[in-house]
Amino acid sequence: ELRSKKTGRATFETLVRDTNDIEPWSRADSLQHCLSLIGYFDATAAVDATVRAKIAELGILSLDEHDGSTNLHWFVITAAQKRLTKNGKDYQVLRVAGDKGQTHNVFCWGASHSIDFPLLVPCVAEVSKSDFGFATSMPKLKIIGGKPKRNV
């Protein structure tokens, strides 16, 4: 059975009116929903256009474009796991994404368990690559537009 165009239009207008007071999602909420639903998001959407322009101007490449040398690279943290070395020292494994949507694990040495990294925020770090994957340390990691939170 075909529906009337007037009924469909009236239903649409009613839905628009009923949902008019709902706040739009923030950029972080939208990215978090994409990540949880499909496991992928565009990391460049998490980075402000002015920040992207400055990163490009400085010649900092995405972690997706890592060529094996120890250089500065940018990425977005999507998750962080707190771990201990066999000697009992704190470190964290960061799950990060680059501009091409590839996800990588980055070992962040010296990251205390009292530190909570902000998620879906752009970061720049001096990253090295070994047989175990990517690695950096806290002094070599810079969070753009924020700081890691310390749990006391």
Side-chain angles (χ1 to χ4, degrees), residues 5-17:
K5 288 184 180 181
K6 290 181 182 179
T7 305
R9 182 69 181 176
T11 303
F12 173 73
E13 289 175 1
T14 302
L15 290 172
V16 168
R17 209 175 22 255

Side-chain angles (χ1 to χ4, degrees), residues 39-52:
Y40 167 81
F41 74 98
D42 182 11
T44 57
V47 183
D48 189 60
T50 55
V51 174
R52 279 196 315 256

Side-chain angles (χ1 to χ4, degrees), residues 21-34:
D21 60 340
I22 296 174
E23 294 290 322
W25 285 352
S26 69
R27 184 179 357 184
D29 287 341
S30 177
L31 292 172
Q32 191 64 44
H33 286 296
C34 283

Side-chain angles (χ1 to χ4, degrees), residues 35-109:
L35 188 61
S36 65
L37 290 173
I38 59 176
Y40 167 81
F41 74 98
D42 182 11
T44 57
V47 183
D48 189 60
T50 55
V51 174
R52 279 196 315 256
K54 187 66 174 178
I55 287 172
E57 177 186 318
L58 295 172
I60 301 172
L61 299 175
S62 165
L63 189 61
D64 291 342
E65 299 171 11
H66 197 284
D67 61 358
S69 62
T70 303
N71 286 325
L72 288 176
H73 293 280
W74 74 268
F75 50 85
V76 175
I77 300 173
T78 60
Q81 279 187 320
K82 299 172 181 180
R83 295 196 181 163
L84 288 172
T85 66
K86 64 182 179 182
N87 295 326
K89 294 187 180 183
D90 294 346
Y91 74 99
Q92 293 194 37
V93 178
L94 307 177
R95 189 80 176 145
V96 303
D99 66 343
K100 295 181 179 151
Q102 298 174 358
T103 55
H104 309 278
N105 286 332
V106 176
F107 294 89
C108 187
W109 304 112

